[in-house]
Amino acid sequence: MTTLAEQAAVGGEKPEGPRPDLGDPSFWQRPHAERLHAFALLRQWEAPQYFVEREKGRGRRERGFHALVTHADVVEASRNPEVFASAPGATTPEPARWVRALFGDSLVNLDGPSHAQLRRIVSRSFTPRILGRTEEDIRAVAARIVDDVLADGGGAALSDRPGDFVTAVASRMPFEVICNLMGIPEKERPAILGQVNRASGDTGVARAARDRFRMPGKGLRALASMQGMVADLGRERRRNPTDDLISMLVSADVDGQALTGRQLGAFFSLLMVAGVETTRNAIAHGLDLLTRHPEQRALLMGDFDRYADGATEEIVRHSTPIIQFRRTLTRDHRMNGHTFRKGDKVVLFYASANRDETVFTDPDAFDITRSPNPHVGYGGGGPHYCLGTYLAKQEMKALFRELLTRAPGLRATAAPVLVPSNFDNRVRSMPYAVGTG
Ligand code: HEM
């Protein structure tokens, strides 16, 4: 069998031999750079790759999927939701029937009017106008985290003291911000954080394969209990509304629409994954990238206001916190020379589209001045485009401003430890030091 390195040696010509198998769990255990290289090879094929049915043992079979690896394909499929539907599931594996019965349908798995209706209710709390009010709070959260980092780093001496950047900094920022937004009481937060960690702690390829056939485990029980707690809060806010997001979500809007208790619980769980884990990974990759590219870091530190927007976009493009989402064909369709059949599964590989050399010059370079930067890190457009883009940017800018100005010597002291996953570019841990500036 030809190795990836041998295929690379073919140079500009179309590689021959076996294609990297994205459906093989062991592919996702390989080093990140090797996987990106495999995507670069796949982009050289004219048509998307198709996996035939795979034998999964004990008589079970798994349907294959088309892999969309170019920027053009990912954008086109994202913007054609009538053909590329999110139901029955935008994640792989799709949620089991009992999971949907228990938790209800998540926004990411809905299409058409039912998606539009739910999205309308939740998006009224995520407009830049509403979020503008939270800017002060986001800055305060960032400042508190950096206070702790400095205290932990040795106070006046600021001596190097390795710790884990993910737990000390990256995950705290989005978790605190979402809890503040939602109005989650301080006393409930440690339990929620514990439940989130239990629910998501060992995600990745192995768990995805296991969950398909297993009944609810500890993680799902934790999720159910978290959703129950949030639904209770919703009932309480309906009786005594405050100015938080839960009150807004459970109060009827001008059309008389509001979230039910179950929908509120499901939306909160989605926010914990979509809003906390993504941003935490982007922040951790951000520090890694700024450490490995001192010239980019110097540029950013030299004029933060000028380069901050470009830096947050480039961090998301380069690291692509969400590797992929899936769609299912509602009818036969031809796109970019390839025929898809009704019922076919199609995986939109944002991680590959963001390195597409026909769109991005020198795509592997980390360049905070890149302009334009039409990356698909928040999705390729269309109705499911990330609801939290504005919030994620606000959080990243506030945190890096505080970190780089108040702890200018802070850096990652080793490469991030990644969780093998075909869904998100998740950082398990990353050692850091405060340094001396
Ligand atoms: C760097 C951080 C983030 C990244 C990389 C990211 C990425 C994404 C991606 C790729 C999608 C799917 C888009 C599609 O299918 O077209 C998505 C959807 C979504 N994101 Fe984000 N996200 C981030 C932060 C956030 C935050 C902070 C929130 C909320 C607080 C959030 C809430 C959502 C929601 C609710 C959806 C589902 C939208 C729908 O299906 O209509 N995300 N995000």
Side-chain angles (χ1 to χ4, degrees):
M1 177 172 154
T2 329
T3 64
L4 289 177
E6 284 163 343
Q7 290 176 38
V10 177
E13 292 179 19
K14 257 185 207 165
E16 295 190 359
R19 299 171 181 191
D21 185 353
L22 306 180
D24 179 354
S26 72
F27 174 83
W28 300 98
Q29 320 261 354
R30 296 194 198 164
H32 189 230
E34 211 178 293
R35 285 185 268 142
L36 287 177
H37 178 66
F39 278 122
L41 291 174
L42 286 173
R43 285 193 299 274
Q44 294 184 39
W45 268 275
E46 279 155 21
Q49 182 187 25
Y50 186 61
F51 292 104
V52 289
E53 282 201 312
R54 297 167 67 88
E55 193 62 57
K56 295 297 285 180
R58 282 193 271 160
R60 284 193 301 261
R61 295 175 80 77
E62 185 180 64
R63 286 193 67 186
F65 60 89
H66 299 264
L68 301 190
V69 293
T70 66
H71 190 273
D73 279 352
V74 167
V75 168
E76 192 170 334
S78 301
R79 295 179 185 188
N80 190 356
E82 272 148 36
V83 174
F84 294 89
S86 294
T91 49
T92 310
E94 66 197 45
R97 217 172 295 164
W98 62 262
V99 174
R100 288 160 61 194
L102 199 61
F103 298 119
D105 264 324
S106 167
L107 192 63
V108 292
N109 300 328
L110 293 172
D111 291 307
S114 44
H115 173 260
Q117 192 207 5
L118 191 54
R119 173 115 182 176
R120 217 169 21 245
I121 302 175
V122 297
S123 60
R124 66 189 186 205
S125 332
F126 281 89
T127 61
R129 195 172 59 82
I130 301 281
L131 291 177
R133 291 194 223 143
T134 65
E135 226 162 292
E136 201 58 33
D137 174 65
I138 291 176
R139 242 179 272 149
V141 173
R144 232 178 7 252
I145 293 171
V146 178
D147 288 345
D148 293 347
V149 162
L150 291 176
D152 190 44
L158 288 185
S159 60
D160 285 4
R161 180 172 151 201
D164 174 26
F165 184 75
V166 175
T167 41
V169 180
S171 57
R172 276 183 67 191
M173 182 77 205
F175 180 75
E176 290 293 329
V177 167
I178 294 214
C179 286
N180 288 354
L181 258 178
M182 295 287 273
I184 305 292
E186 292 281 349
K187 65 175 176 19
E188 310 279 7
R189 295 186 191 187
I192 292 180
L193 191 58
Q195 284 160 357
V196 170
N197 287 340
R198 269 192 296 283
S200 67
D202 74 339
T203 52
V205 178
R207 191 188 123 193
R210 230 174 42 225
D211 275 1
R212 184 189 298 264
F213 307 110
R214 288 233 174 130
M215 286 306 286
K218 234 199 271 169
L220 283 161
R221 276 201 298 275
L223 207 60
S225 119
M226 182 174 80
Q227 295 203 355
M229 192 217 79
V230 174
D232 287 347
L233 272 178
R235 269 189 289 279
E236 151 64 22
R237 294 293 201 284
R238 211 172 277 129
R239 283 193 300 270
N240 303 305
T242 64
D243 62 352
D244 63 26
L245 207 133
I246 291 190
S247 304
M248 206 183 285
L249 292 171
V250 298
S251 317
D253 66 3
V254 282
D255 301 323
Q257 306 282 346
L259 293 191
T260 63
R262 207 169 80 139
Q263 283 174 322
L264 179 70
F267 184 60
F268 184 69
S269 304
L270 176 62
L271 285 189
M272 282 294 142
V273 178
V276 174
E277 303 215 347
T278 49
T279 313
R280 141 203 138 133
N281 292 327
I283 290 169
H285 284 296
L287 181 68
D288 175 49
L289 285 164
L290 290 170
T291 303
R292 286 193 285 119
H293 300 273
E295 75 300 341
Q296 298 292 311
R297 179 193 178 109
L299 205 58
L300 180 60
M301 286 174 79
D303 193 342
F304 191 87
D305 287 330
R306 180 169 171 198
Y307 294 111
D309 285 321
T312 52
E313 296 300 334
E314 183 65 348
I315 287 169
V316 170
R317 181 194 74 86
H318 203 277
S319 65
T320 313
I322 301 258
I323 295 171
Q324 51 99 344
F325 263 116
R326 205 190 74 197
R327 301 291 190 263
T328 303
L329 270 283
T330 57
R331 55 175 150 89
D332 291 358
H333 182 70
R334 207 166 157 73
M335 182 176 85
N336 298 337
H338 191 82
T339 301
F340 302 87
R341 299 282 171 216
K342 182 176 176 180
D344 280 354
K345 291 172 184 169
V346 169
V347 178
L348 285 59
F349 281 102
Y350 307 121
S352 177
N354 277 344
R355 300 290 177 112
D356 189 332
E357 38 292 283
T358 65
V359 175
F360 303 102
T361 314
D362 198 2
D364 294 333
F366 174 64
D367 176 6
I368 65 171
T369 66
R370 192 181 285 282
S371 176
N373 189 350
H375 70 82
V376 292
Y378 295 109
H384 290 276
Y385 187 72
C386 177
L387 187 66
T389 312
Y390 183 81
L391 187 62
K393 290 177 193 175
Q394 269 185 319
E395 290 180 29
M396 280 192 270
K397 282 194 283 187
L399 184 64
F400 280 114
R401 182 191 294 277
E402 287 285 322
L403 283 174
L404 295 178
T405 50
R406 293 178 53 209
L410 183 124
R411 64 186 190 283
T413 52
V417 178
L418 302 180
V419 179
S421 165
N422 58 6
F423 178 65
D424 59 2
N425 190 7
R426 179 186 305 227
V427 181
R428 176 177 285 134
S429 61
M430 186 172 72
Y432 78 107
V434 172
T436 50

